[in-house]
Amino acid sequence: MTATIIDGKAFAAGLRTRIAAQVATFTESAGRAPGLAVVLVGEDAASAVYVRNKGKATQGAGMISIEHRLAADVAQDELLALVDTLNADSAIDGILVQLPLPGHIDERAVTTRIDPDKDVDGFHPVNAGRLATGIAGFVPCTPLGCVMLLKDTLGDLTGLDAVVIGRSNIVGKPMAQLLIAESCTVTVAHSRTRDLSTVVKRADIVIAAVGRPEMVKGDWLKPGATVIDVGINRTEAGLVGDVDFAGAMSVAGAVTPVPGGVGPMTIACLLRNTLVSAARREGVVLDEAAL
Ligand code: NAD
C-alpha cells in the first residue's frame, strides 16, 4: 500500500489565490490595503528567512508589509513601545513579533502587549481563551493550516480518533482545541507519555509536532491513518520531519511531506488572519467560507 502525499504547497497556493482575490475586494471597499507589521529582533538567520518570506507573501497577496528590525540588544521597553505604536496605528491590521526573542526579553510580556484584535499569530492568551471557548478570534497559523489540510483530505472529521504529539502553546495545544471543535476524539501525547507507539496506533489522525527527526515510525501507525508532519528538522541529510516519511508511506492513507506540507500552509494562514483582521476592523464582509 502506498499512501497519498498531501500536497500542502499546492493547497497553500490555491488558498493564497483566493485570499488575494478577497484582498482586492477589501481594498476597493475600505480604500486601503490590509497591513501587516513584522518585528524582527536580532540577527537569527532562520528568523530572518521566515520574516523575508512572510513579507514577500504578504505583498504577493496585495497587502502592505512593514518590517521593523531591532538590534539584538534592544531594551525590552523599546520593543514594547514599538508594539504600542503599532497597536495604535490604524493602517496596521496584524502585528507579528518573530520568535524566539533574545534571552534578556520576556517573550510573554511582548506577546501579551499586542492588541488581541491585531494578534494574527494567535499567541495572545485572550486568543487562546477564545479558541478554547469557541469565540471568534485568531487561531495560530500552523495548526489552522493543519486542520485545513485534514478537512481537504478527509472531509468531515467527526468521531475520528486524533493523536497530537506535542503540547506547545503554538502548535500542540491549539491543534488539540481545533480537533475537539471538529468533533474528533483527541489525545495529546508529549515527552512524558508512556508507550507512545501504542497511543499512536489507535489514531485515525496523527499530528506530529515534536522537533525530533523521523521519530514516528511507519509501524506505529494504524493502516490508512492520515499523518500530518509539523516537524522541521535540519539534519545532515537535509530537512526532515518528525515522521519517518518512507515508513509512513507504506502504512498510512495520506501523509504530508517535509518540506512542502505544513510549512507553506503556515504562511498562507498568516495572510488569511491578516485579511480577516482587516475586514473585522473595517466592517467589510468577506466570503470566509472561501478562505
Ligand atoms: P516545542 O519544542 O515547543 O514542543 C515540542 C513538544 O514535543 C513538547 O510539547 C514536548 O512535550 C513534545 N516532545 C518532546 N519530546 C518528545 C518525545 N520524545 N515524545 C513525545 N513528545 C515529545 O516545539 P513546537 O514549537 O511545538 O514545534 C514542534 C516542531 O514543529 C518543531 O520541529 C518546529 O520546528 C516545527 N514547527 C513547524 C512549523 C511549520 O510551519 N511547519 C511551525 C511551528 C513549528
Side-chain angles (χ1 to χ4, degrees), residues 142 165-168 170-171 190-191 209-212 230-232 262-263 266:
T142 299
I165 316 174
R167 57 175 162 183
S168 71
I170 65 170
V171 188
H190 47 74
S191 53
V210 182
R212 288 181 160 234
V230 181
I232 300 176
V262 174
T266 298

Side-chain angles (χ1 to χ4, degrees), residues 85-147:
T85 304
L86 297 170
N87 282 340
D89 185 341
S90 59
I92 296 296
D93 303 292
I95 302 168
L96 181 158
V97 178
Q98 184 66 42
L99 303 180
L101 291 169
H104 68 284
I105 292 177
D106 175 3
E107 276 187 3
R108 184 161 293 191
V110 177
T111 49
T112 56
R113 190 72 158 237
I114 296 171
D115 178 348
D117 294 329
K118 294 189 176 187
D119 169 39
V120 287
D121 255 341
F123 295 164
H124 194 292
V126 165
N127 282 317
R130 286 168 169 165
L131 175 60
T133 51
I135 298 169
F138 292 110
V139 176
C141 301
T142 299
L144 180 59
C146 292
V147 100

